[in-house]
Amino acid sequence: MPIPSLPIVQALARRVRGHQNRAARQMGVGEGVGVVVSVRAVPGGWAYHRAQRGRFGYLVPCGDVEAAAEQVDLLLKHRMFPPTW
């Protein structure tokens, strides 16, 4: 029986729509997207993965936090602004 990976980071991004009132913008109400990152064993060590995709969600090897953050940033940007991709 495979051992499920546990999520270690949940990254969220919000985009506030222009037609909302000022109070709603201050509270952070708007459209949001997110990604959950987990650590899974890979040949030769450990790696960050998108939890929703399991072993198919490979991002980068553990130890390279900056590269992982860049990958998560690109995923969130793609979800928030799909027409620009």
Side-chain angles (χ1 to χ4, degrees), residues 5 35-43 47-60 71 75 79:
S5 64
V35 62
V36 178
V37 177
S38 63
V39 173
R40 295 181 67 93
V42 295
Y48 296 111
H49 287 73
R50 287 175 54 198
Q52 297 92 333
R53 301 216 47 217
R55 66 186 173 122
F56 299 107
Y58 177 85
L59 294 172
V60 294
Q71 289 296 316
L75 286 169
R79 289 183 181 174

Side-chain angles (χ1 to χ4, degrees), residues 8-82:
I8 60 165
V9 175
Q10 183 175 7
L12 301 172
R14 286 210 169 140
R15 176 177 44 157
V16 177
R17 292 184 175 187
H19 71 276
Q20 291 178 327
N21 65 28
R22 183 176 177 193
R25 285 194 302 270
Q26 288 175 342
M27 292 188 317
V29 177
E31 294 180 22
V33 296
V35 62
V36 178
V37 177
S38 63
V39 173
R40 295 181 67 93
V42 295
W46 297 88
Y48 296 111
H49 287 73
R50 287 175 54 198
Q52 297 92 333
R53 301 216 47 217
R55 66 186 173 122
F56 299 107
Y58 177 85
L59 294 172
V60 294
C62 285
D64 194 352
V65 177
E66 290 181 12
E70 186 175 322
Q71 289 296 316
V72 169
D73 186 54
L74 290 172
L75 286 169
L76 294 175
K77 284 181 182 177
H78 177 68
R79 289 183 181 174
M80 289 184 71
F81 309 107

